[in-house]
Amino acid sequence: MIYGYRAELADEFGLPPPKTLGAAIRVVAVFGGYMDRKKDRPPGSKVIWRGYSRLEIGAKTFAVLEKRYHMIRREVLIVKRE
């Protein structure tokens, strides 16, 4: 489970959830350096692990910042929409 995942944040950005497990793994693999080109092989375990590690660090950082600065989520949303 991804620490600090919030479905409502994805909804506010208008991001649809991945439709399959393979699509979710590809999203994580992209964080690990997977290029996701048309003729590429499926991502390997090292790339998925690297992506998960980076995603976990980002989620934990976001959770700490959100806890410390209560309005950080709103500020991020306002900056992204403009």
Side-chain angles (χ1 to χ4, degrees):
M1 183 174 155
I2 299 172
Y3 178 79
Y5 174 75
R6 301 247 169 79
E8 69 267 7
L9 186 62
D11 290 341
E12 289 182 27
F13 275 116
L15 302 173
K19 295 184 180 191
T20 63
L21 179 60
I25 289 174
R26 284 181 189 269
V27 169
V28 173
V30 167
F31 282 110
Y34 182 64
M35 300 297 285
D36 198 21
R37 294 174 292 214
K38 191 172 184 177
K39 295 190 178 196
D40 281 350
R41 295 177 133 189
S45 58
K46 287 183 180 180
V47 173
I48 294 170
W49 181 255
R50 249 183 293 161
Y52 179 76
S53 298
R54 290 177 181 167
L55 186 61
E56 185 180 26
I57 290 169
K60 286 181 179 180
T61 303
F62 187 80
V64 168
L65 290 174
E66 187 178 33
K67 188 183 284 186
R68 180 170 288 176
Y69 307 104
H70 301 287
M71 296 302 292
I72 189 81
R73 193 169 121 222
R74 289 283 165 210
E75 291 170 10
V76 169
L77 290 174
I78 291 169
V79 170
K80 290 285 184 179
R81 288 184 180 164
E82 293 181 347

